[in-house]
Amino acid sequence: MGKLDQDAARSTVNPLESLLRISSHLAGQVEIRTALRAVKAEIENIVAIDHLDVCLIDDRAEWNTSYEVGIRTRWSQSRTLVALSPIRRILLGETDHLLTGNAMEDPRYTYSGAISQPIFRHGLRSRVNVAMKVLGRTVGALNCSSRQADLYDESTVERVRHVADVLAPYFYSLAQSEKAKQAAIVRAEAQAREEGLRQGALELTRVLEQERQRIGMDLHDQTLADLTRLMRDLERGNGAPPDGDEIQARLKNCIQDLRRIIETAVPSLLELFGFAHALRIHLERAVANPRVELSVTDRTGGEVDVIDDTARTALFRIAQEAINNSARHAGASRISVEVWRDGADLVLAVEDDGSGAPEEPDCATGRARGGMAHMRTRARLIAAEFRLRSEGGTRIEVRLPGRASRPLAQGAGR
C-alpha cells in the first residue's frame, strides 16, 4: 500500500474504535515490549510513524528507560539520565508535549550533551512527543517519529495524546510490576546468601568443635598417656626405674607427638615452607612405609602461595585430611598431590591407588561424617567444588573458581 493509500485509509478510521482495540490488545499483556508490539499496528492506524517508542521514568525522575518497536536505537539499549534525554522537558514536567517538523535542526532535541544520535542516524525529522500521565503525574512519554519532514501538526498531537492516555495506566502498572518482581528477586537472593552464610557459620562452628575434640583426644590418648606411664615408672618403689637414655627417648617421642598435634592445628609448615613443600613434608611424615611412592607437584609456578590466605589454608587442610585418609586406610602403594590452573580456576587433586575410603553416613542424620564431611565443608566455605572418586583407588579433587583464586595484589603481603 502506497503512502497516499495509507493516508486515505487512516482518514477513514474511527479513532475511538482504534483506541478500544488498543485497550483490547493490552489486556493480558505482562511485559512492556510485547505490549507495545501488540498495539503498534493500531497506533499506525491513527498516526503515520517510522519509529515508535515509550519512555518511562523512575520515581525520582532521574533515569528513563525506553521501549521501542520498529527501528532499534541506542535509546532502548540502556537506561539514560532524564537530563540528557531529547524529550527532557516532558519528562521533567515542564511541558506536556513537543512537536517539530525537523528534529535534526530543532535545538530542543539536539542541545549540547543530549543523546540525540538516533535522530540523525535514522533521519527522524518529524516528531510528536506527548506526556503519559497517571493521576496527574508524568510517568513517561509516548514518542512518534517519521523520516518525512513537516508531517505532523496540532491535530496529530491530539490523536497521540488520546493514545498516550490509554497506554499510560497499563504501562505504568507493568513497570511497577516489573519493579516489584526485581525487588522480590533481590530480596530472595539476599535471604539465600544470608541463610547460606548462617549455615556455613554453623557448619564451621561444628567442624571446629570436632577439631577441638579431636585434638583433646589426641593429647589425652597419646601424649598424656605416655607421660602418665613414664611418671608411674619413675614413682615405682619396686623394680629398677628407667635409665636416663630410656627416659630421654620416651620424652623425645612425647615431644614429637606434641609437635605433630600442634602442626595439625596450626599450619606452621605452610607459612614457613610454602604450599607444595609443606604438603611434601606432611606426606612423608604421614606415610611410614618407605615403599609407598610419594609425589607433590605444583604446576602453578608458586601461584598457589599468593592467593587469599583463607582459601590457601582451606586447600592445605583438605589436602592434609586426604593424605591422612590415604595413609591410614587405603593401603596404597602410590599417593600423589597435584595443584594446577585450569583456565581461571585453581584445582587441587590428591590421588592414591588403594582400596578407597567411602564416606560413612551418620546413623542419626544419614549425612556423611568424618574426614570426608570435613573436606566437603571446608570446600563449601571457600566456594569451591568438591569431587570424590573411589574406583580403582581414591581421587579427591577441589576446584576453586577463578574469582576466589585470583592472586593477591602485588605488595599486599601476608
Side-chain angles (χ1 to χ4, degrees):
M1 182 182 293
K3 182 181 182 304
L4 293 177
D5 293 334
Q6 288 179 329
D7 292 341
R10 191 175 293 113
S11 65
T12 62
V13 171
N14 184 330
L16 180 58
E17 292 180 359
S18 291
L19 294 175
L20 290 174
R21 284 195 293 269
I22 287 174
S23 297
S24 175
H25 290 317
L26 288 172
Q29 298 293 337
V30 296
E31 201 270 332
I32 294 175
R33 286 184 177 85
T34 57
L36 191 58
R37 284 196 292 267
V39 299
K40 177 177 180 288
E42 291 298 339
I43 294 175
E44 286 179 315
N45 287 333
I46 298 174
V47 58
I49 54 175
D50 288 317
H51 180 261
L52 175 69
D53 74 283
V54 166
C55 283
L56 297 176
I57 59 175
D58 62 11
D59 293 337
R60 294 182 296 178
E62 183 177 356
W63 294 89
N64 79 82
T65 304
S66 294
Y67 305 89
E68 301 175 302
V69 289
I71 302 172
R72 179 76 183 274
T73 76
R74 175 182 173 181
W75 289 326
S76 65
Q77 293 177 7
S78 63
R79 291 197 314 162
T80 58
L81 287 168
V82 168
L84 302 181
S85 170
I87 57 169
R88 63 179 179 177
R89 292 185 59 200
I90 294 176
L91 300 180
L92 293 173
E94 296 174 3
T95 183
D96 67 352
H97 78 277
L98 290 171
L99 174 66
T100 185
N102 190 349
M104 299 172 66
E105 298 177 356
D106 192 328
R108 295 177 300 172
Y109 294 89
T110 58
Y111 59 88
S112 177
I115 302 176
S116 54
Q117 296 93 327
I119 292 175
F120 293 95
R121 182 175 180 181
H122 301 284
L124 303 178
R125 292 176 174 82
S126 291
R127 302 200 78 205
V128 57
N129 315 96
V130 174
M132 298 173 66
K133 296 185 178 183
V134 173
L135 299 178
R137 182 172 69 89
T138 299
V139 298
L142 175 62
N143 311 298
C144 301
S145 304
S146 172
R147 294 188 177 96
Q148 180 181 337
D150 301 315
L151 179 63
Y152 303 139
D153 56 21
E154 290 296 334
S155 66
T156 311
V157 173
E158 287 305 310
R159 294 199 301 273
V160 175
R161 180 175 285 117
H162 291 319
V163 176
D165 289 343
V166 172
L167 296 184
Y170 283 97
F171 280 39
Y172 179 74
S173 297
L174 291 176
Q176 293 302 307
S177 175
E178 181 64 24
K179 180 180 176 181
K181 187 187 302 182
Q182 291 299 324
I185 292 173
V186 170
R187 286 197 301 272
E189 290 176 347
Q191 290 171 355
R193 286 194 297 270
E194 183 178 346
E195 178 63 16
L197 290 173
R198 189 182 71 83
Q199 291 294 335
L202 289 174
E203 187 67 12
L204 179 60
T205 301
R206 184 184 68 80
V207 170
L208 290 175
E209 177 62 19
Q210 290 182 344
E211 189 78 358
R212 186 186 68 79
Q213 292 176 2
R214 183 191 64 76
I215 293 171
M217 287 188 290
D218 283 349
L219 290 171
H220 178 273
D221 297 343
Q222 191 163 319
T223 307
L224 183 60
D226 290 343
L227 288 172
T228 300
R229 283 193 295 271
L230 179 58
M231 184 182 66
R232 286 176 179 171
D233 288 343
L234 291 172
E235 289 176 347
R236 281 177 186 162
N238 55 348
D243 59 29
D245 291 341
E246 182 182 351
I247 292 174
Q248 186 176 7
R250 291 168 67 175
L251 284 174
K252 184 178 180 180
N253 288 336
C254 289
I255 291 171
Q256 289 176 341
D257 290 337
L258 280 172
R259 183 177 288 113
R260 178 187 59 79
I261 293 170
I262 291 170
E263 287 176 351
T264 301
V266 181
S268 56
L269 290 176
L270 180 61
E271 302 303 328
L272 289 173
F273 302 110
F275 191 86
H277 190 54
L279 280 181
R280 188 173 292 109
I281 294 173
H282 180 77
L283 184 58
E284 291 171 353
R285 288 180 178 177
V287 180
N289 188 344
R291 290 176 294 181
V292 177
E293 179 186 342
L294 309 175
S295 68
V296 177
T297 306
D298 177 10
R299 301 191 187 281
T300 71
E303 194 174 310
V304 65
D305 283 308
V306 294
I307 65 172
D308 176 73
D309 280 335
T310 301
R312 185 177 70 134
T313 300
L315 290 176
F316 185 75
R317 290 296 194 206
I318 292 169
Q320 274 188 316
E321 189 69 43
I323 289 169
N324 292 341
N325 285 347
S326 295
R328 295 171 185 169
H329 309 300
S333 63
R334 176 184 58 81
I335 303 174
S336 66
V337 182
E338 188 174 2
V339 59
W340 71 94
R341 279 282 185 189
D342 183 10
D345 297 349
L346 188 71
V347 185
L348 166 73
V350 181
E351 188 170 15
D352 66 56
D353 62 352
S355 58
E359 296 184 78
E360 187 178 346
D362 186 280
C363 295
T365 66
R367 296 178 179 176
R369 63 183 182 183
M372 291 295 176
H374 293 177
M375 285 187 277
R376 288 184 185 277
T377 297
R378 291 187 190 278
R380 188 165 62 249
L381 290 176
I382 58 172
E385 180 184 357
F386 181 91
R387 294 179 182 175
L388 169 65
R389 190 204 69 199
S390 297
E391 297 177 3
T394 300
R395 178 181 174 87
I396 289 169
E397 186 174 294
V398 180
R399 178 177 292 269
L400 187 64
R403 64 181 182 277
S405 65
R406 286 191 291 267
L408 296 174
Q410 190 172 3
R414 285 200 164 277

